[in-house]
Amino acid sequence: MSVILDASILATGWAYVLLAPYTKVEESFNLHATHDVLMYGLAPFQLHSYDHYIFPGAVPRTFNGSIFLAFISSPVIRLASSLGFVSRKFDLQIIVRLVLSTLNAIGLCLIRRAVHKRFGRLTGFLYAVLTISQFHVLFWMGRTLPNMFALLPVNIAAYLMLERAPQATRPSPSRISTAIALITGAGVIFRSELVLLLGPTVLQSLWKGYISFWDTVRVGLLSALCSIALTTAVDTYMWGTFPTPLWPEFSSIYFNVVEGKSSEWGVSPFHTYLSSLLPKLLLSSLPLSALGLLIDRRIREFLVPYGLFVLLISCLGHKEWRFIVYVVPAVNVAAARGARWLVSRPKSNLIGRLTFGIASAMILANFVAMAFFATTSIANYPGGEALALFNEKYPPGSTSQAPHVHISNLAAQTGASLFLQEYAPPFYPPSSLPSMLNSTSESEWTRYDKTENLALSALTARSEITHLISEASPSDLEVLGVKKSWREVKKIDSFDGWIVDWELLKGLKSLKGLGENGKAGLVERVWEFLRMRKSPKLWIYERK
């Protein structure tokens, strides 16, 4: 059963990668850094080809996660290539994301096994079910956000603090030391907000006597200094700032906190995490976790650092769900414990059957919400769809003139990644393009141009640009006076909301007045009560 539960967590994460293979702008730095490490290597003379020299972003970010991901993905890519599963460069993006999803699934499975050991088989089973029934963690754990690189060490730390015999009163000092080292390293290298989780964890461990003060200082200093040395060495080299050392997370703290630039992305009330974002992440696990906290002292002790972390990070003005994603696996432990209490009541009386029904309904509601979120998100990557369609329509040799396509900001932000630049260097396999062309002297077939802030009139004036992937509609082109220069090739629809068919609902309420054919027609249409609304978001244009 344990293997089946672990496999179900892994399979759900993989399914999200395969159903939504494209990415968003938040993932682009680490995704493109992983692309460049795979395609160019780490030799000094290759670094000038890296994407971050062209699009550096507001603050430098670490290459450590991308280098690690590329390193462990390389043998998987070679194996997949030898088995015939890799036929285009975009396949590498899917493999890289599957590898990252697998790593984070391992962290979740470790926590599940710790729950099984400490709280029993049924609680471990319910933990797996609750984890699968939630959307955000499993959908995003295969996406190259810095938070998803940090999630694995944080989850391993949670496993180390949780895993012990049911009646054991304390974890071993070595486990606490390792947990502190992991959270420290993740905070130094990937996400500085983890210091707000590290502080409560250390204070609780000292208060409970799990570890001595001097051991805490030794472990904390050693892990912090080693992590600073690692990220500084790697990122100074990758960003080319030598002899000035570069510690990206320190630059991020200075930019966002000291200079207060994070407020430019929006400021939310103090209660936002508790009143909005946590309920969205946890769904029915939130009330179930409250029950788990109430009935089990071990749960209260385990969740103290995570609760303090949420309160501390709430003091920062700019808030996003990914800043607190680390608490979801921990809160699910409490939710599984609460769910177990509900389903374990004797079924011989009404209360026992009622509590079982409540728990089952809450988990079912999770799955319904998860399906809703997943359906919405899968339909929300028009840039990736547009560039994939462009590559399909204009393969090498398909036109007399090699295409030069300009990719708009919206397209670049919604999936048009470097892995989709199939017909420009670097190629995978390396010899793929010359084999497609009549002349092996060609260095590229398609030029993919992501120059920012160019007006349509300026793009039209550049005669070398043969194609556009643009958010401007044909009517926009007409208003701007450039429609005569471009021919619409394809429009790409994307998610625009949900439609409730109230007329259908009225019909269902009045079945008595309908004949048999009318009743059958309404029953067949019952799934149309809630429909996704799509509208064109991007257009592919060809110069006339």
Side-chain angles (χ1 to χ4, degrees):
M1 177 60 78
S2 288
V3 174
I4 294 174
L5 293 175
D6 291 345
S8 64
I9 293 173
L10 175 65
T12 306
W14 278 33
Y16 284 136
V17 173
L18 298 174
L19 290 170
Y22 306 117
T23 55
K24 286 287 180 72
V25 65
E26 303 97 310
E27 310 157 58
S28 61
F29 173 79
N30 284 295
L31 184 73
H32 290 168
T34 305
H35 166 278
D36 291 341
V37 174
L38 286 170
M39 296 291 104
Y40 298 113
L42 297 171
F45 64 88
Q46 293 282 22
L47 296 184
H48 71 279
S49 301
Y50 275 48
D51 186 68
H52 70 286
Y53 279 103
I54 304 170
F55 303 101
V59 290
R61 283 149 289 180
T62 183
F63 271 84
N64 280 275
S66 300
I67 292 173
F68 174 72
L69 182 57
F71 175 76
I72 61 174
S73 298
S74 294
V76 181
I77 290 170
R78 288 195 293 270
L79 176 62
S81 297
S82 67
L83 296 175
F85 291 116
V86 179
S87 59
R88 53 182 182 157
K89 188 160 62 171
F90 183 66
D91 293 333
L92 305 189
Q93 176 170 312
I94 296 174
I95 292 173
V96 163
R97 290 191 52 213
L98 287 174
V99 169
L100 180 59
S101 180
T102 301
L103 292 173
N104 277 317
I106 290 171
L108 294 172
C109 292
L110 286 173
I111 295 178
R112 190 206 64 78
R113 288 173 178 262
V115 171
H116 180 149
K117 180 176 180 179
R118 193 168 183 197
F119 298 102
R121 179 179 299 177
L122 180 56
T123 311
F125 169 80
L126 290 167
Y127 180 85
V129 171
L130 287 168
T131 298
I132 294 166
S133 71
Q134 293 166 338
F135 169 74
H136 287 83
V137 172
L138 269 68
F139 183 84
W140 284 89
M141 72 181 186
R143 298 183 171 275
T144 52
L145 289 172
N147 312 77
M148 297 304 126
F149 287 112
L151 185 62
L152 177 60
V154 172
N155 280 345
I156 295 175
Y159 160 76
L160 292 170
M161 292 185 287
L162 185 66
E163 199 268 348
R164 67 187 98 150
Q167 301 307 320
T169 58
R170 60 178 58 214
S172 67
S174 62
R175 283 174 169 261
I176 291 296
S177 297
T178 306
I180 290 172
L182 286 168
I183 298 173
T184 301
V188 168
I189 297 173
F190 296 116
R191 292 302 307 182
S192 55
E193 71 261 15
L194 285 172
V195 70
L196 301 178
L197 176 61
L198 176 65
T201 301
V202 168
L203 290 175
Q204 183 191 51
S205 299
L206 290 172
W207 178 264
K208 293 285 187 177
Y210 297 157
I211 188 172
S212 71
F213 175 78
W214 292 113
D215 282 344
T216 303
V217 172
R218 176 179 57 82
V219 170
L221 278 177
L222 182 62
S223 58
L225 292 175
C226 288
S227 301
I228 291 170
L230 174 63
T231 189
T232 302
V234 168
D235 293 309
T236 299
Y237 172 76
M238 297 302 296
W239 285 91
T241 63
F242 186 82
T244 304
L246 175 64
W247 174 10
E249 272 309 290
F250 179 80
S251 300
S252 178
I253 294 172
Y254 187 83
F255 180 83
N256 289 309
V257 180
V258 177
E259 294 185 336
K261 295 295 181 68
S262 65
S263 61
E264 295 178 2
W265 302 99
V267 175
S268 302
F270 177 86
H271 59 78
T272 300
Y273 285 129
L274 293 172
S275 62
S276 176
L277 296 179
L278 271 177
K280 182 179 179 181
L281 289 171
L282 293 166
L283 303 175
S284 64
S285 288
L286 190 58
L288 287 172
S289 67
L291 177 60
L293 281 167
L294 182 66
I295 63 175
D296 199 320
R297 177 186 57 81
R298 297 170 297 175
I299 294 293
R300 292 193 292 274
E301 179 184 310
F302 174 65
L303 283 188
V304 163
Y306 295 93
L308 292 174
F309 166 70
V310 173
L311 291 177
L312 290 171
I313 202 170
S314 295
C315 297
L316 300 178
H318 181 60
K319 297 175 176 64
E320 296 184 34
W321 68 265
R322 58 193 176 97
F323 297 164
I324 57 165
V325 69
Y326 322 104
V327 309
V328 174
V331 175
N332 278 342
V333 177
R337 181 67 183 88
R340 179 198 167 189
W341 187 90
L342 289 175
V343 302
S344 299
R345 299 303 91 199
K347 308 302 183 298
S348 56
N349 57 59
L350 177 61
I351 293 178
R353 292 192 292 273
L354 183 62
T355 56
F356 183 87
I358 290 172
S360 301
M362 294 175 83
I363 293 173
L364 178 61
N366 265 17
F367 278 104
V368 171
M370 178 265 287
F372 180 82
F373 285 135
T375 304
T376 300
S377 297
I378 289 167
N380 209 14
Y381 294 87
E385 293 181 31
L387 193 49
L389 285 169
F390 180 87
N391 290 333
E392 183 180 337
K393 185 168 181 61
Y394 299 102
S398 60
T399 58
S400 58
Q401 180 183 358
H404 179 150
V405 58
H406 181 266
I407 300 168
S408 71
N409 289 344
L410 178 62
Q413 291 171 3
T414 57
S417 72
L418 293 180
F419 283 102
L420 273 167
Q421 296 186 11
E422 300 275 358
Y423 305 130
F427 303 106
Y428 193 90
S431 60
S432 58
L433 186 70
S435 67
M436 298 176 189
L437 297 172
N438 295 326
S439 170
T440 57
S441 63
E442 296 284 353
S443 62
E444 66 181 4
W445 168 250
T446 301
R447 181 173 179 189
Y448 301 90
D449 187 342
K450 295 193 295 183
T451 306
E452 297 177 326
N453 302 319
L454 286 179
L456 281 169
S457 56
L459 291 171
T460 304
R462 291 176 55 182
S463 59
E464 73 275 14
I465 295 179
T466 61
H467 296 80
L468 302 176
I469 297 178
S470 173
E471 55 262 45
S473 67
S475 59
D476 293 331
L477 267 61
E478 187 170 4
V479 169
L480 294 169
V482 297
K483 186 176 182 181
K484 62 182 180 181
S485 300
W486 301 100
R487 178 177 68 86
E488 180 184 340
V489 175
K490 187 75 175 177
K491 63 182 178 182
I492 294 84
D493 294 336
S494 184
F495 175 75
D496 207 32
W498 291 92
I499 299 174
V500 178
D501 190 340
W502 296 110
E503 294 301 319
L504 176 62
L505 184 61
K506 291 176 183 177
L508 289 172
K509 288 181 177 179
S510 57
L511 281 176
K512 289 184 178 180
L514 298 173
E516 289 302 320
N517 292 336
K519 291 179 181 180
L522 276 179
V523 171
E524 288 175 0
R525 291 183 55 214
V526 69
W527 296 109
E528 299 178 19
F529 170 66
L530 183 65
R531 301 195 308 274
M532 180 183 292
R533 183 176 73 247
K534 289 186 175 183
S535 64
K537 292 294 190 298
L538 290 171
W539 284 260
I540 300 174
Y541 296 107
E542 182 180 68
R543 189 181 289 274
K544 291 182 180 177

